[in-house]
Amino acid sequence: MSELRTAAETAVQQCLELEGEESCVVVTDDEREPIGVALYEVVREVTDDATIVRYPPGEQHGAEPPAPVAAAMEGADAFLAPTTKSLSHTRARSDATDEGARGSTLPGITEEVFVTGLDADYDRIADECERTLERVADADEVRVTTDLGTDITFAVGDREWHDDTGDVSDPGSFSNLPAGEVFVSPESADGTYVVDGTMRPHGLLEGRELEFVVEDGLVTEISDDEIRAQVDEAADEVGDAAYNLAELGIGTNVGVTELVGSVLLDEKAAGTIHIAIGDNASIGGETEAPIHLDGIVRDPTVYADGEEIELPEA
């Protein structure tokens, strides 16, 4: 429990900077309860207005939590959400931050990732985010290539780049934990990307690649049967929104030296990029979907308006 406590202290004290007069809710589920309890215990030492709520794991990443959970998030000054399925791209999370709550989601977090990912120099991560933003923020077009066949071009348009530094001390601020990326919800994209790092439901990809073809901002071909089935199932509910090319992210967490099979941690690894399918309404886009599937790509070359940029290095 001591290792969990150290990580929890980092989240509550360094990232959230929780104060004694504030209210804070910890949202967790049956499978992540030990992490939720560790966070709650630290929160409880800071403020008397502390709450922990638990519910059964959601059916899919991006699925909305029960209404009482959403209300608890929206009504608090701060929240921390270690859950099996991601709440990052939900209306519950965006409604909460729109109302001024600040906090972090920890989707799919394991005790190992919690301990490893929170053992980082978040000041340095913030510096890497700032440097990376400077390299891409004004680009109209970003292209990513790899030796394995990735060659995809993103039309950024008027969409704004965001950073995920782990600092959620300002009202309405939001971050994943572990943190460390800059990302954008592009207006469109065309090309092919090959995931050779980590992707749900497979975890760490060892000696295999997953190929995706994108045309006019929609994923038109998926080489993997399981992932294609997930997307097709979501499409039965929301149509083409499920195939939306939702996000391009660049990892800036220089403390992550190798991929471990957790999307939450691996998408932050310095020197990688990740590309997501599905919902982007909560990150600056206009598409709502019940899925958000990230795929991590190793060893990319990234060009901003035709000029190769330097990526962070672990």
Side-chain angles (χ1 to χ4, degrees):
M1 182 60 74
S2 60
E3 289 186 333
L4 291 182
R5 179 178 174 82
T6 300
E9 289 174 343
T10 299
V12 174
Q13 298 170 2
Q14 182 177 348
C15 298
L16 201 61
E17 294 186 16
L18 187 66
E19 298 183 356
E21 70 277 8
E22 294 184 303
S23 60
C24 182
V25 60
V26 176
V27 176
T28 191
D29 60 39
D30 299 339
E31 296 181 8
R32 301 296 185 261
E33 185 177 11
I35 297 171
V37 169
L39 288 165
Y40 173 75
E41 288 177 348
V42 175
V43 168
R44 184 66 182 81
E45 293 173 2
V46 177
T47 176
D48 290 335
D49 197 349
T51 305
I52 183 168
V53 295
R54 187 185 73 179
Y55 69 103
E59 294 183 358
Q60 179 60 274
H61 296 285
E64 295 296 326
V69 174
M73 294 173 67
E74 188 173 344
D77 293 315
F79 63 87
L80 292 164
T83 55
T84 303
K85 302 298 183 182
S86 176
L87 296 182
S88 303
H89 306 280
T90 61
R91 303 294 80 72
R93 196 282 300 165
S94 59
D95 287 348
T97 50
D98 286 347
E99 287 298 314
R102 68 185 195 279
S104 296
T105 57
L106 297 82
I109 192 77
T110 65
E111 294 182 25
E112 178 185 5
V113 170
F114 185 58
V115 171
T116 301
L118 272 295
D119 182 18
D121 182 348
Y122 277 92
D123 289 335
R124 185 181 173 196
I125 290 170
D127 290 343
E128 292 292 348
C129 284
E130 181 179 355
R131 280 192 284 269
T132 303
L133 275 176
E134 289 175 353
R135 295 162 183 155
V136 297
D138 295 328
D140 295 317
E141 183 178 278
V142 176
R143 180 186 177 205
V144 178
T145 66
T146 68
D147 291 343
L148 289 178
T150 294
D151 193 342
I152 183 169
T153 299
F154 302 86
V156 177
D158 294 329
R159 301 284 173 80
E160 182 180 355
W161 284 86
H162 303 275
D163 60 356
D164 180 19
T165 66
D167 180 353
V168 284
S169 58
D170 293 330
S173 58
F174 166 70
S175 175
N176 269 160
L177 286 178
E181 66 171 295
V182 301
F183 58 94
V184 69
S185 171
E187 289 190 352
S188 189
D190 288 277
T192 298
Y193 67 99
V194 179
V195 176
D196 62 331
T198 301
M199 192 166 188
R200 301 184 188 103
H202 303 296
L204 189 64
L205 300 173
E206 301 281 11
R208 61 181 297 200
E209 296 87 36
L210 312 175
E211 184 175 297
F212 302 80
V213 178
V214 183
E215 299 177 7
D216 294 327
L218 295 177
V219 177
T220 58
E221 297 180 30
I222 301 174
S223 68
D224 182 80
D225 292 340
E226 291 184 67
I227 294 172
R228 185 170 60 249
Q230 286 188 66
V231 180
D232 288 346
E233 182 179 355
D236 290 339
E237 179 181 343
V238 296
D240 282 351
Y243 303 103
N244 178 52
L245 196 290
E247 177 189 5
L248 167 65
I250 301 173
T252 61
N253 190 323
V254 292
V256 181
T257 58
E258 60 182 31
L259 304 189
V260 299
S262 163
V263 169
L264 174 64
L265 184 64
D266 293 352
E267 70 175 1
K268 312 304 192 312
T272 69
I273 64 99
H274 56 276
I275 299 171
I277 306 168
D279 187 275
N280 63 11
S282 60
I283 57 171
E286 300 175 349
T287 300
E288 295 188 11
I291 60 170
H292 183 89
L293 297 176
D294 291 283
I296 290 89
V297 178
R298 306 174 191 252
D299 302 318
T301 302
V302 180
Y303 304 87
D305 286 338
E307 181 178 348
E308 183 178 347
I309 68 168
E310 182 182 355
L311 298 178
E313 294 183 1

